[in-house]
Amino acid sequence: MRVIFITLLLLAGTPYLHAQVRYFFQAEGNLSLLPKINNKGIYVNTFAANPSQASISSNTTFKQKPGFGVSGGAQLKLNEYLAIEASAGVTMLAYRQKNNYHIVTTDGTNYSESKGTYYNGGVTYPVYLAQGPGPVMGYAPYVNPNLAKASLQKKQGNVNIGMASLAAVVKLNLTSKTSIGIGPSLDFLLWAKAYSENVYVMGSDDPDYIFIWTPMTEKRDIKKDLTSTGVAGHIQLEHQLTDQFALQAAFSQAVNKLYKDQEMTLSGGKARMRNVSIGLRYYLK
């Protein structure tokens, strides 16, 4: 980003500027705060013997989970009131995703309704599952509602995400020891893991039938389902404890969508990462 690039150039500038630069390291704990989202859509299952229409609505909640991060950077004092800083860091974020589904299916004069709650990480979209003499509709990120069960295992639905970030912040001194800062970051996805019940499709001697079964909860890689590069905004509050140590609290909000859209993604809200953090900063001088 242009803002981050300009900040880095300033910090690498003249000898006078170097005299005003303070280098730092920081360790922090964070807590995810993703808000609830609602989605809906209407889809036609053309694979059925009699084409059926499914009206789907879902609401997804994200339970707060703790994470941590480390970073390092440099701060340039511009005058008595203003400073700019640039930093690079790695952050681990976590949450538990709960998906509540309500589906109404109509097929001519036939009408069916079902509800379900499943703990899996991912974007909500319809999928076709093979079962019996022809495919039926299922809904990601959970498996076939006829065969899967909402697990009571505590890990089900847990998601862990690793991000590398480059950030730039402008800080304003409120008092001699307290400052407030605001700025953007450019974030890069390193990893994404989720615990969920996976679907395994097994063949049989009869080509019209495919058996589907679900194993115990297992950890899987969902990096391909998430946005790989994004931008976030940050608000920081720093309080100097000593000449070298400071406490820093921050609120962060991602601009980009957390999950990539699928071919038939439901319309409605999109998950965007949001979190708060508190850290201890050490200045080298």
Side-chain angles (χ1 to χ4, degrees):
M1 293 176 60
R2 184 177 299 177
V3 173
I4 297 174
F5 180 69
I6 293 174
T7 304
L8 291 172
L9 286 179
L10 286 172
L11 292 174
T14 66
Y16 169 76
L17 292 180
H18 276 290
Q20 307 300 313
V21 172
R22 303 176 74 196
Y23 298 96
F24 62 84
F25 294 100
Q26 180 170 313
E28 64 184 36
N30 63 60
L31 187 69
S32 59
L33 296 175
L34 283 85
K36 175 181 175 180
I37 58 174
N38 295 295
N39 301 95
K40 62 182 179 179
I42 298 176
Y43 298 93
V44 177
N45 182 359
T46 57
F47 292 96
N50 295 314
S52 59
Q53 177 175 284
S55 176
I56 315 153
S57 61
S58 72
N59 67 74
T60 301
T61 56
F62 303 89
K63 183 179 179 180
Q64 301 169 357
K65 302 285 285 186
F68 62 90
V70 292
S71 61
Q75 184 182 98
L76 171 63
K77 184 177 179 179
L78 299 178
N79 55 45
E80 184 180 354
Y81 302 101
L82 288 175
I84 58 174
E85 65 181 44
S87 63
V90 176
T91 303
M92 192 280 283
L93 299 162
Y95 55 89
R96 189 185 190 202
Q97 183 171 335
K98 178 182 178 182
N99 310 295
N100 298 299
Y101 296 92
H102 180 205
I103 171 172
V104 175
T105 303
T106 56
D107 176 7
T109 58
N110 298 319
Y111 171 93
S112 63
E113 182 177 5
S114 61
K115 296 181 180 180
T117 297
Y118 295 86
Y119 291 88
N120 275 348
V123 66
T124 302
Y125 64 98
V127 294
Y128 291 112
L129 300 175
Q131 177 192 335
V136 297
M137 186 173 281
Y139 306 93
Y142 77 110
V143 297
N144 189 338
N146 297 320
L147 300 174
K149 296 184 296 182
S151 174
L152 297 179
Q153 299 182 54
K154 292 182 179 180
K155 288 185 177 181
Q156 178 99 358
N158 283 356
V159 179
N160 297 313
I161 298 173
M163 304 288 295
S165 301
L166 297 174
V169 174
V170 176
K171 288 195 168 182
L172 172 66
N173 290 334
L174 300 178
T175 68
S176 60
K177 291 187 176 182
T178 304
S179 64
I180 188 170
I182 186 170
S185 69
L186 183 61
D187 304 321
F188 307 92
L189 181 65
L190 299 177
W191 74 83
K193 305 289 184 180
Y195 287 90
S196 64
E197 283 186 332
N198 283 348
V199 178
Y200 285 82
V201 180
M202 308 295 291
S204 68
D205 295 335
D206 186 341
D208 291 331
Y209 287 82
I210 298 178
F211 298 104
I212 301 176
W213 59 281
T214 57
M216 294 179 63
T217 299
E218 59 185 31
K219 195 173 186 178
R220 61 189 178 95
D221 189 338
I222 62 168
K223 183 178 178 180
K224 63 180 179 59
D225 299 328
L226 275 70
T227 303
S228 59
T229 305
V231 175
H234 307 272
I235 299 175
Q236 302 175 351
L237 185 65
E238 181 176 328
H239 181 71
Q240 204 76 32
L241 300 175
T242 67
D243 288 341
Q244 290 186 292
F245 287 95
L247 282 177
Q248 181 160 276
F251 171 82
S252 303
Q253 174 66 60
V255 176
N256 57 288
K257 293 177 287 189
L258 177 62
Y259 296 120
K260 295 177 182 176
D261 286 336
Q262 302 295 325
E263 183 179 355
M264 296 193 295
T265 302
L266 298 180
S267 62
K270 306 296 181 183
R272 289 176 169 82
M273 181 55 69
R274 178 184 296 174
N275 67 279
V276 292
S277 63
I278 185 166
L280 181 65
R281 176 174 290 191
Y282 173 73
Y283 287 97
L284 298 184
K285 65 174 184 176

Short mmCIF file of all heavy atoms in Angstrom, two decimals, residues 44-103:
data_model
loop_
_atom_site.label_atom_id
_atom_site.label_comp_id
_atom_site.label_asym_id
_atom_site.label_seq_id
_atom_site.Cartn_x
_atom_site.Cartn_y
_atom_site.Cartn_z
N VAL A 44 -32.99 -24.13 -7.46
CA VAL A 44 -33.74 -25.23 -8.07
C VAL A 44 -32.82 -26.42 -8.25
O VAL A 44 -31.73 -26.29 -8.83
CB VAL A 44 -34.34 -24.82 -9.43
CG1 VAL A 44 -35.05 -26.00 -10.07
CG2 VAL A 44 -35.30 -23.65 -9.25
N ASN A 45 -33.23 -27.57 -7.75
CA ASN A 45 -32.48 -28.81 -7.89
C ASN A 45 -32.93 -29.49 -9.18
O ASN A 45 -33.91 -30.23 -9.21
CB ASN A 45 -32.71 -29.71 -6.68
CG ASN A 45 -31.90 -31.00 -6.77
OD1 ASN A 45 -31.17 -31.23 -7.73
ND2 ASN A 45 -32.03 -31.84 -5.76
N THR A 46 -32.20 -29.24 -10.26
CA THR A 46 -32.58 -29.81 -11.56
C THR A 46 -32.21 -31.27 -11.68
O THR A 46 -32.60 -31.93 -12.64
CB THR A 46 -31.90 -29.01 -12.69
OG1 THR A 46 -30.49 -29.04 -12.49
CG2 THR A 46 -32.38 -27.56 -12.69
N PHE A 47 -31.44 -31.80 -10.73
CA PHE A 47 -31.05 -33.20 -10.80
C PHE A 47 -32.13 -34.13 -10.28
O PHE A 47 -32.09 -35.33 -10.50
CB PHE A 47 -29.77 -33.43 -9.98
CG PHE A 47 -28.56 -32.79 -10.59
CD1 PHE A 47 -28.13 -31.54 -10.16
CD2 PHE A 47 -27.85 -33.42 -11.60
CE1 PHE A 47 -27.01 -30.95 -10.72
CE2 PHE A 47 -26.73 -32.83 -12.17
CZ PHE A 47 -26.31 -31.59 -11.72
N ALA A 48 -33.09 -33.59 -9.55
CA ALA A 48 -34.16 -34.43 -8.99
C ALA A 48 -35.07 -34.94 -10.09
O ALA A 48 -35.17 -34.36 -11.18
CB ALA A 48 -34.96 -33.62 -7.97
N ALA A 49 -35.76 -36.07 -9.81
CA ALA A 49 -36.69 -36.64 -10.79
C ALA A 49 -37.73 -35.61 -11.18
O ALA A 49 -38.07 -35.45 -12.36
CB ALA A 49 -37.34 -37.89 -10.20
N ASN A 50 -38.27 -34.91 -10.20
CA ASN A 50 -39.15 -33.77 -10.43
C ASN A 50 -38.43 -32.54 -9.88
O ASN A 50 -38.21 -32.46 -8.67
CB ASN A 50 -40.49 -33.94 -9.72
CG ASN A 50 -41.28 -35.11 -10.27
OD1 ASN A 50 -41.39 -35.28 -11.47
ND2 ASN A 50 -41.80 -35.94 -9.36
N PRO A 51 -38.02 -31.61 -10.75
CA PRO A 51 -37.25 -30.45 -10.26
C PRO A 51 -37.91 -29.81 -9.04
O PRO A 51 -39.11 -29.54 -9.04
CB PRO A 51 -37.24 -29.52 -11.47
CG PRO A 51 -37.35 -30.43 -12.64
CD PRO A 51 -38.27 -31.55 -12.18
N SER A 52 -37.12 -29.60 -8.01
CA SER A 52 -37.64 -29.04 -6.77
C SER A 52 -36.97 -27.71 -6.48
O SER A 52 -35.86 -27.44 -6.92
CB SER A 52 -37.40 -30.00 -5.61
OG SER A 52 -36.02 -30.25 -5.46
N GLN A 53 -37.68 -26.87 -5.74
CA GLN A 53 -37.16 -25.56 -5.36
C GLN A 53 -36.89 -25.54 -3.87
O GLN A 53 -37.73 -25.95 -3.07
CB GLN A 53 -38.16 -24.47 -5.73
CG GLN A 53 -37.71 -23.07 -5.30
CD GLN A 53 -38.66 -21.99 -5.76
OE1 GLN A 53 -38.67 -21.63 -6.93
NE2 GLN A 53 -39.47 -21.48 -4.84
N ALA A 54 -35.71 -25.07 -3.51
CA ALA A 54 -35.33 -24.99 -2.10
C ALA A 54 -35.14 -23.54 -1.70
O ALA A 54 -34.39 -22.81 -2.35
CB ALA A 54 -34.06 -25.79 -1.86
N SER A 55 -35.84 -23.13 -0.66
CA SER A 55 -35.68 -21.79 -0.10
C SER A 55 -34.87 -21.94 1.19
O SER A 55 -35.30 -22.60 2.14
CB SER A 55 -37.05 -21.17 0.21
OG SER A 55 -36.89 -19.92 0.84
N ILE A 56 -33.69 -21.34 1.21
CA ILE A 56 -32.75 -21.54 2.30
C ILE A 56 -32.54 -20.23 3.06
O ILE A 56 -32.38 -19.18 2.44
CB ILE A 56 -31.37 -21.99 1.77
CG1 ILE A 56 -31.52 -23.07 0.71
CG2 ILE A 56 -30.46 -22.44 2.90
CD1 ILE A 56 -30.38 -23.10 -0.28
N SER A 57 -32.53 -20.30 4.36
CA SER A 57 -32.12 -19.16 5.18
C SER A 57 -31.18 -19.68 6.26
O SER A 57 -31.33 -20.80 6.75
CB SER A 57 -33.33 -18.47 5.81
OG SER A 57 -34.03 -19.34 6.66
N SER A 58 -30.20 -18.89 6.59
CA SER A 58 -29.24 -19.31 7.61
C SER A 58 -28.78 -18.10 8.42
O SER A 58 -28.79 -16.97 7.93
CB SER A 58 -28.02 -19.98 6.95
OG SER A 58 -27.23 -19.02 6.29
N ASN A 59 -28.41 -18.37 9.65
CA ASN A 59 -27.71 -17.35 10.43
C ASN A 59 -26.48 -18.00 11.03
O ASN A 59 -26.50 -19.15 11.46
CB ASN A 59 -28.61 -16.70 11.50
CG ASN A 59 -29.02 -17.67 12.59
OD1 ASN A 59 -28.21 -18.01 13.45
ND2 ASN A 59 -30.27 -18.11 12.56
N THR A 60 -25.40 -17.25 10.99
CA THR A 60 -24.10 -17.77 11.42
C THR A 60 -23.56 -16.89 12.53
O THR A 60 -23.54 -15.66 12.42
CB THR A 60 -23.11 -17.78 10.24
OG1 THR A 60 -23.63 -18.60 9.20
CG2 THR A 60 -21.76 -18.32 10.67
N THR A 61 -23.13 -17.53 13.61
CA THR A 61 -22.53 -16.81 14.72
C THR A 61 -21.09 -17.28 14.90
O THR A 61 -20.74 -18.41 14.55
CB THR A 61 -23.31 -17.02 16.03
OG1 THR A 61 -23.40 -18.43 16.31
CG2 THR A 61 -24.71 -16.44 15.91
N PHE A 62 -20.26 -16.41 15.45
CA PHE A 62 -18.84 -16.69 15.63
C PHE A 62 -18.50 -16.48 17.10
O PHE A 62 -18.47 -15.34 17.58
CB PHE A 62 -18.00 -15.78 14.75
CG PHE A 62 -18.34 -15.86 13.29
CD1 PHE A 62 -19.32 -15.04 12.75
CD2 PHE A 62 -17.68 -16.76 12.46
CE1 PHE A 62 -19.64 -15.10 11.40
CE2 PHE A 62 -18.00 -16.83 11.11
CZ PHE A 62 -18.97 -16.01 10.58
N LYS A 63 -18.23 -17.57 17.79
CA LYS A 63 -17.89 -17.47 19.20
C LYS A 63 -16.49 -16.88 19.36
O LYS A 63 -15.56 -17.22 18.64
CB LYS A 63 -17.94 -18.85 19.86
CG LYS A 63 -17.65 -18.84 21.36
CD LYS A 63 -17.75 -20.23 21.96
CE LYS A 63 -17.45 -20.20 23.44
NZ LYS A 63 -17.54 -21.57 24.04
N GLN A 64 -16.35 -15.98 20.32
CA GLN A 64 -15.06 -15.34 20.57
C GLN A 64 -14.04 -16.37 21.05
O GLN A 64 -14.32 -17.19 21.92
CB GLN A 64 -15.22 -14.26 21.64
CG GLN A 64 -16.21 -13.17 21.27
CD GLN A 64 -16.54 -12.27 22.43
OE1 GLN A 64 -16.08 -12.48 23.55
NE2 GLN A 64 -17.36 -11.26 22.19
N LYS A 65 -12.85 -16.32 20.44
CA LYS A 65 -11.75 -17.19 20.84
C LYS A 65 -10.48 -16.35 20.93
O LYS A 65 -10.28 -15.42 20.16
CB LYS A 65 -11.55 -18.31 19.82
CG LYS A 65 -12.77 -19.19 19.59
CD LYS A 65 -13.01 -20.16 20.73
CE LYS A 65 -12.04 -21.29 20.70
NZ LYS A 65 -12.34 -22.31 21.74
N PRO A 66 -9.57 -16.69 21.86
CA PRO A 66 -8.34 -15.91 22.01
C PRO A 66 -7.28 -16.30 20.98
O PRO A 66 -7.26 -17.43 20.48
CB PRO A 66 -7.89 -16.25 23.43
CG PRO A 66 -8.41 -17.64 23.65
CD PRO A 66 -9.72 -17.70 22.92
N GLY A 67 -6.39 -15.37 20.69
CA GLY A 67 -5.25 -15.61 19.82
C GLY A 67 -4.06 -14.80 20.31
O GLY A 67 -4.09 -14.23 21.40
N PHE A 68 -3.03 -14.72 19.50
CA PHE A 68 -1.84 -13.98 19.92
C PHE A 68 -1.10 -13.46 18.68
O PHE A 68 -1.38 -13.87 17.55
CB PHE A 68 -0.90 -14.87 20.75
CG PHE A 68 -0.37 -16.06 19.99
CD1 PHE A 68 0.82 -15.98 19.29
CD2 PHE A 68 -1.06 -17.26 19.99
CE1 PHE A 68 1.31 -17.06 18.59
CE2 PHE A 68 -0.58 -18.35 19.28
CZ PHE A 68 0.61 -18.25 18.58
N GLY A 69 -0.14 -12.57 18.91
CA GLY A 69 0.63 -12.02 17.81
C GLY A 69 1.94 -11.43 18.29
O GLY A 69 2.10 -11.09 19.47
N VAL A 70 2.91 -11.32 17.37
CA VAL A 70 4.19 -10.67 17.65
C VAL A 70 4.49 -9.74 16.48
O VAL A 70 4.12 -10.02 15.33
CB VAL A 70 5.33 -11.69 17.83
CG1 VAL A 70 5.14 -12.49 19.11
CG2 VAL A 70 5.43 -12.62 16.63
N SER A 71 5.17 -8.64 16.76
CA SER A 71 5.50 -7.68 15.70
C SER A 71 6.73 -6.88 16.10
O SER A 71 7.16 -6.87 17.25
CB SER A 71 4.32 -6.74 15.43
OG SER A 71 4.01 -5.99 16.60
N GLY A 72 7.28 -6.20 15.10
CA GLY A 72 8.41 -5.32 15.33
C GLY A 72 8.36 -4.19 14.32
O GLY A 72 7.78 -4.33 13.24
N GLY A 73 8.94 -3.04 14.69
CA GLY A 73 8.88 -1.92 13.77
C GLY A 73 9.67 -0.73 14.28
O GLY A 73 10.53 -0.85 15.15
N ALA A 74 9.35 0.42 13.69
CA ALA A 74 10.05 1.66 14.05
C ALA A 74 9.05 2.81 14.10
O ALA A 74 8.10 2.87 13.31
CB ALA A 74 11.14 1.97 13.03
N GLN A 75 9.29 3.72 15.03
CA GLN A 75 8.43 4.89 15.20
C GLN A 75 9.27 6.16 15.00
O GLN A 75 10.36 6.29 15.56
CB GLN A 75 7.81 4.90 16.60
CG GLN A 75 6.83 6.03 16.84
CD GLN A 75 6.29 6.01 18.27
OE1 GLN A 75 6.78 6.73 19.12
NE2 GLN A 75 5.30 5.17 18.50
N LEU A 76 8.75 7.06 14.18
CA LEU A 76 9.43 8.33 13.88
C LEU A 76 8.65 9.48 14.51
O LEU A 76 7.49 9.70 14.18
CB LEU A 76 9.55 8.53 12.38
CG LEU A 76 10.05 9.91 11.91
CD1 LEU A 76 11.47 10.16 12.39
CD2 LEU A 76 9.95 10.02 10.39
N LYS A 77 9.29 10.23 15.39
CA LYS A 77 8.67 11.40 16.02
C LYS A 77 8.80 12.59 15.08
O LYS A 77 9.89 12.99 14.70
CB LYS A 77 9.35 11.70 17.35
CG LYS A 77 8.70 12.85 18.11
CD LYS A 77 9.38 13.06 19.46
CE LYS A 77 8.75 14.21 20.21
NZ LYS A 77 9.39 14.43 21.54
N LEU A 78 7.66 13.16 14.67
CA LEU A 78 7.65 14.30 13.75
C LEU A 78 7.75 15.62 14.49
O LEU A 78 8.44 16.55 14.05
CB LEU A 78 6.39 14.27 12.90
CG LEU A 78 6.20 13.03 12.01
CD1 LEU A 78 4.88 13.12 11.26
CD2 LEU A 78 7.37 12.89 11.03
N ASN A 79 7.03 15.71 15.60
CA ASN A 79 7.09 16.91 16.43
C ASN A 79 6.60 16.53 17.83
O ASN A 79 6.50 15.34 18.15
CB ASN A 79 6.27 18.06 15.83
CG ASN A 79 4.83 17.67 15.56
OD1 ASN A 79 4.18 17.03 16.39
ND2 ASN A 79 4.32 18.05 14.39
N GLU A 80 6.26 17.52 18.62
CA GLU A 80 5.86 17.27 20.01
C GLU A 80 4.56 16.47 20.10
O GLU A 80 4.32 15.77 21.09
CB GLU A 80 5.71 18.60 20.74
CG GLU A 80 5.38 18.47 22.21
CD GLU A 80 5.24 19.82 22.89
OE1 GLU A 80 5.51 20.85 22.22
OE2 GLU A 80 4.85 19.85 24.07
N TYR A 81 3.75 16.53 19.05
CA TYR A 81 2.42 15.91 19.13
C TYR A 81 2.23 14.71 18.20
O TYR A 81 1.39 13.86 18.46
CB TYR A 81 1.35 16.96 18.79
CG TYR A 81 1.38 18.16 19.70
CD1 TYR A 81 1.95 19.36 19.29
CD2 TYR A 81 0.85 18.09 20.99
CE1 TYR A 81 1.98 20.46 20.11
CE2 TYR A 81 0.87 19.18 21.83
CZ TYR A 81 1.44 20.37 21.39
OH TYR A 81 1.48 21.46 22.22
N LEU A 82 2.98 14.66 17.10
CA LEU A 82 2.73 13.65 16.07
C LEU A 82 3.91 12.71 15.89
O LEU A 82 5.08 13.10 16.02
CB LEU A 82 2.42 14.31 14.73
CG LEU A 82 1.07 15.01 14.59
CD1 LEU A 82 1.00 15.72 13.24
CD2 LEU A 82 -0.08 14.02 14.73
N ALA A 83 3.57 11.45 15.55
CA ALA A 83 4.57 10.44 15.20
C ALA A 83 3.96 9.49 14.18
O ALA A 83 2.73 9.34 14.10
CB ALA A 83 5.02 9.68 16.44
N ILE A 84 4.82 8.88 13.38
CA ILE A 84 4.36 7.83 12.46
C ILE A 84 5.18 6.58 12.72
O ILE A 84 6.33 6.66 13.18
CB ILE A 84 4.51 8.25 10.98
CG1 ILE A 84 5.95 8.61 10.65
CG2 ILE A 84 3.57 9.40 10.65
CD1 ILE A 84 6.18 8.89 9.18
N GLU A 85 4.58 5.43 12.44
CA GLU A 85 5.32 4.19 12.63
C GLU A 85 4.95 3.16 11.57
O GLU A 85 3.85 3.19 11.00
CB GLU A 85 5.09 3.61 14.03
CG GLU A 85 3.69 3.17 14.33
CD GLU A 85 3.55 2.63 15.76
OE1 GLU A 85 4.09 3.26 16.69
OE2 GLU A 85 2.88 1.59 15.91
N ALA A 86 5.89 2.28 11.30
CA ALA A 86 5.68 1.16 10.38
C ALA A 86 6.11 -0.11 11.10
O ALA A 86 7.07 -0.11 11.88
CB ALA A 86 6.48 1.35 9.10
N SER A 87 5.38 -1.21 10.85
CA SER A 87 5.69 -2.45 11.53
C SER A 87 5.34 -3.65 10.66
O SER A 87 4.57 -3.53 9.70
CB SER A 87 4.92 -2.55 12.86
OG SER A 87 3.53 -2.56 12.63
N ALA A 88 5.93 -4.78 11.01
CA ALA A 88 5.61 -6.06 10.38
C ALA A 88 5.39 -7.08 11.48
O ALA A 88 6.06 -7.04 12.52
CB ALA A 88 6.75 -6.50 9.46
N GLY A 89 4.43 -7.99 11.27
CA GLY A 89 4.16 -8.95 12.32
C GLY A 89 3.40 -10.16 11.83
O GLY A 89 2.99 -10.24 10.67
N VAL A 90 3.24 -11.11 12.74
CA VAL A 90 2.48 -12.34 12.48
C VAL A 90 1.43 -12.47 13.58
O VAL A 90 1.74 -12.28 14.76
CB VAL A 90 3.39 -13.58 12.46
CG1 VAL A 90 2.57 -14.85 12.29
CG2 VAL A 90 4.42 -13.48 11.35
N THR A 91 0.20 -12.78 13.18
CA THR A 91 -0.91 -12.88 14.13
C THR A 91 -1.68 -14.17 13.93
O THR A 91 -1.93 -14.58 12.79
CB THR A 91 -1.88 -11.70 13.96
OG1 THR A 91 -1.16 -10.48 14.11
CG2 THR A 91 -3.00 -11.76 14.99
N MET A 92 -2.05 -14.83 15.03
CA MET A 92 -2.94 -15.99 14.98
C MET A 92 -4.30 -15.57 15.53
O MET A 92 -4.40 -15.04 16.64
CB MET A 92 -2.37 -17.15 15.79
CG MET A 92 -3.10 -18.50 15.54
SD MET A 92 -4.67 -18.69 16.43
CE MET A 92 -4.07 -19.06 18.07
N LEU A 93 -5.35 -15.76 14.75
CA LEU A 93 -6.72 -15.43 15.14
C LEU A 93 -7.55 -16.69 15.20
O LEU A 93 -7.29 -17.65 14.45
CB LEU A 93 -7.33 -14.45 14.13
CG LEU A 93 -6.60 -13.10 13.99
CD1 LEU A 93 -7.00 -12.43 12.69
CD2 LEU A 93 -6.92 -12.20 15.18
N ALA A 94 -8.56 -16.72 16.06
CA ALA A 94 -9.36 -17.93 16.22
C ALA A 94 -10.82 -17.57 16.51
O ALA A 94 -11.12 -16.51 17.06
CB ALA A 94 -8.80 -18.79 17.36
N TYR A 95 -11.73 -18.47 16.11
CA TYR A 95 -13.15 -18.34 16.42
C TYR A 95 -13.81 -19.71 16.26
O TYR A 95 -13.21 -20.64 15.72
CB TYR A 95 -13.82 -17.31 15.51
CG TYR A 95 -13.64 -17.58 14.02
CD1 TYR A 95 -14.54 -18.37 13.31
CD2 TYR A 95 -12.58 -17.02 13.32
CE1 TYR A 95 -14.37 -18.62 11.97
CE2 TYR A 95 -12.40 -17.26 11.98
CZ TYR A 95 -13.30 -18.05 11.30
OH TYR A 95 -13.12 -18.31 9.96
N ARG A 96 -15.03 -19.82 16.75
CA ARG A 96 -15.81 -21.04 16.55
C ARG A 96 -17.09 -20.68 15.80
O ARG A 96 -17.87 -19.86 16.27
CB ARG A 96 -16.17 -21.71 17.88
CG ARG A 96 -16.80 -23.09 17.68
CD ARG A 96 -17.26 -23.72 18.97
NE ARG A 96 -17.64 -25.11 18.77
CZ ARG A 96 -18.45 -25.81 19.57
NH1 ARG A 96 -18.97 -25.23 20.65
NH2 ARG A 96 -18.73 -27.06 19.31
N GLN A 97 -17.27 -21.28 14.63
CA GLN A 97 -18.40 -20.93 13.77
C GLN A 97 -19.57 -21.89 13.97
O GLN A 97 -19.42 -23.10 13.89
CB GLN A 97 -17.95 -20.95 12.30
CG GLN A 97 -19.06 -20.52 11.34
CD GLN A 97 -18.53 -20.34 9.92
OE1 GLN A 97 -17.35 -20.09 9.71
NE2 GLN A 97 -19.42 -20.48 8.95
N LYS A 98 -20.74 -21.30 14.21
CA LYS A 98 -21.98 -22.07 14.38
C LYS A 98 -22.97 -21.66 13.30
O LYS A 98 -23.25 -20.48 13.12
CB LYS A 98 -22.57 -21.77 15.77
CG LYS A 98 -23.89 -22.47 16.06
CD LYS A 98 -24.40 -22.07 17.44
CE LYS A 98 -25.74 -22.69 17.78
NZ LYS A 98 -26.23 -22.26 19.10
N ASN A 99 -23.49 -22.62 12.56
CA ASN A 99 -24.39 -22.36 11.44
C ASN A 99 -25.77 -22.93 11.73
O ASN A 99 -25.92 -24.13 11.95
CB ASN A 99 -23.84 -23.00 10.16
CG ASN A 99 -22.38 -22.66 9.93
OD1 ASN A 99 -22.04 -21.51 9.71
ND2 ASN A 99 -21.51 -23.65 10.02
N ASN A 100 -26.79 -22.07 11.72
CA ASN A 100 -28.18 -22.49 11.89
C ASN A 100 -28.90 -22.39 10.55
O ASN A 100 -28.93 -21.31 9.95
CB ASN A 100 -28.88 -21.61 12.92
CG ASN A 100 -28.24 -21.70 14.29
OD1 ASN A 100 -28.18 -22.76 14.89
ND2 ASN A 100 -27.74 -20.58 14.79
N TYR A 101 -29.47 -23.50 10.09
CA TYR A 101 -30.10 -23.54 8.78
C TYR A 101 -31.60 -23.81 8.88
O TYR A 101 -32.05 -24.58 9.72
CB TYR A 101 -29.48 -24.63 7.91
CG TYR A 101 -28.02 -24.41 7.61
CD1 TYR A 101 -27.04 -24.94 8.42
CD2 TYR A 101 -27.63 -23.66 6.50
CE1 TYR A 101 -25.70 -24.74 8.15
CE2 TYR A 101 -26.30 -23.45 6.22
CZ TYR A 101 -25.34 -24.00 7.04
OH TYR A 101 -24.01 -23.80 6.77
N HIS A 102 -32.35 -23.19 7.97
CA HIS A 102 -33.78 -23.46 7.82
C HIS A 102 -34.04 -23.58 6.32
O HIS A 102 -33.75 -22.65 5.56
CB HIS A 102 -34.61 -22.33 8.42
CG HIS A 102 -36.08 -22.54 8.29
ND1 HIS A 102 -36.99 -21.50 8.28
CD2 HIS A 102 -36.82 -23.67 8.14
CE1 HIS A 102 -38.21 -21.98 8.14
NE2 HIS A 102 -38.13 -23.30 8.05
N ILE A 103 -34.57 -24.71 5.90
CA ILE A 103 -34.80 -24.94 4.48
C ILE A 103 -36.23 -25.42 4.23
O ILE A 103 -36.74 -26.27 4.96
CB ILE A 103 -33.80 -25.97 3.90
CG1 ILE A 103 -34.19 -26.35 2.47
CG2 ILE A 103 -33.70 -27.20 4.76
CD1 ILE A 103 -33.18 -27.20 1.76
#
